[in-house]
Amino acid sequence: SFDRVDGLKEAHIIILADGCECEEETSSTENFKHGTVSPETRANYKQHLQLLQEKIDNRQAPFQPLKNGTIQLVKLPYRHGSARAIAAAFNMQPSVISRPYILIGQHDNFFVRDVAYLASILRYMEEESWLQCVHFPSTATLNYVTKVKRRYQLDISKFCVGYNGGSFIPLVFWYGRTHLARSSYYK
């Protein structure tokens, strides 16, 4: 879904591939969420990553950066889990953390609508130092103000900030979804 976000393909894109652990040959249970897979699944995953690398190297669609943009695949040798994988990527690629902003998206969270307001969000973040991280909407955050009030008796509406026809809504919980953040937010 790179093509759905204006300006994204002009950025330095890192596709982070977490590692996985093999189950015993005798076990028939795989747990993809925890990175525990069969030897066959692991071999298929490695083949998938190899094909992905070839597409990136050959600049096959959608892996076609624009202007000074780049696309890079970073493969982690073992399973870290989402948050630790991001930290490992920063340690492996110190140049990433030196950039002022970073957009993080998981492989199973993609843009289903065009995002023509990324530059506008970046401008607003430049103006407002309090804004550290912006999560893009997901099913978990639809009608979020109402959900939080109903479930937790918290009224977060007074903390919402209107901007450019939309609004920034503070999150009560961290959602592992696509988000734009200041790199300093991760330091």
Side-chain angles (χ1 to χ4, degrees), residues 17-21 35 42 75-81 85 88:
D18 204 356
C20 57
E21 309 298 326
R42 183 179 178 157
K75 297 182 262 187
L76 299 178
Y78 59 89
R79 184 184 184 285
H80 291 73

Side-chain angles (χ1 to χ4, degrees), residues 36-154:
T36 310
V37 298
S38 68
E40 178 184 1
T41 300
R42 183 179 178 157
N44 288 340
Y45 181 58
K46 285 187 171 199
Q47 182 181 20
H48 166 73
L49 294 180
Q50 181 180 349
L51 292 171
L52 178 58
Q53 185 64 63
E54 289 172 12
K55 287 183 178 187
I56 292 168
D57 292 344
N58 295 327
R59 294 177 169 251
Q60 275 183 259
F63 308 105
Q64 298 164 320
L66 301 174
K67 298 183 182 176
N68 292 324
T70 61
I71 301 176
Q72 176 184 3
L73 176 62
V74 173
K75 297 182 262 187
L76 299 178
Y78 59 89
R79 184 184 184 285
H80 291 73
S82 182
R84 289 189 177 117
I86 292 167
F90 286 157
N91 290 333
M92 293 171 70
Q93 302 287 326
S95 64
V96 173
I97 205 77
S98 69
R99 297 170 188 270
Y101 297 97
I102 184 163
L103 186 133
I104 295 182
Q106 291 182 304
H107 66 91
D108 57 351
N109 291 105
F110 45 90
F111 291 97
V112 294
R113 294 191 179 114
D114 292 340
V115 177
Y117 50 83
L118 187 61
S120 178
I121 292 173
L122 288 168
R123 276 192 304 278
Y124 189 73
M125 289 179 80
E126 282 293 317
E127 296 167 9
E128 302 292 337
S129 62
W130 62 268
L131 187 58
Q132 298 294 308
C133 181
V134 175
H135 285 245
F136 289 88
S138 69
T139 54
T141 57
L142 291 176
N143 302 312
Y144 191 71
V145 173
T146 304
K147 284 181 187 177
V148 168
K149 185 161 182 119
R150 186 180 68 243
R151 290 181 185 164
Y152 309 107
Q153 291 73 52
L154 294 173

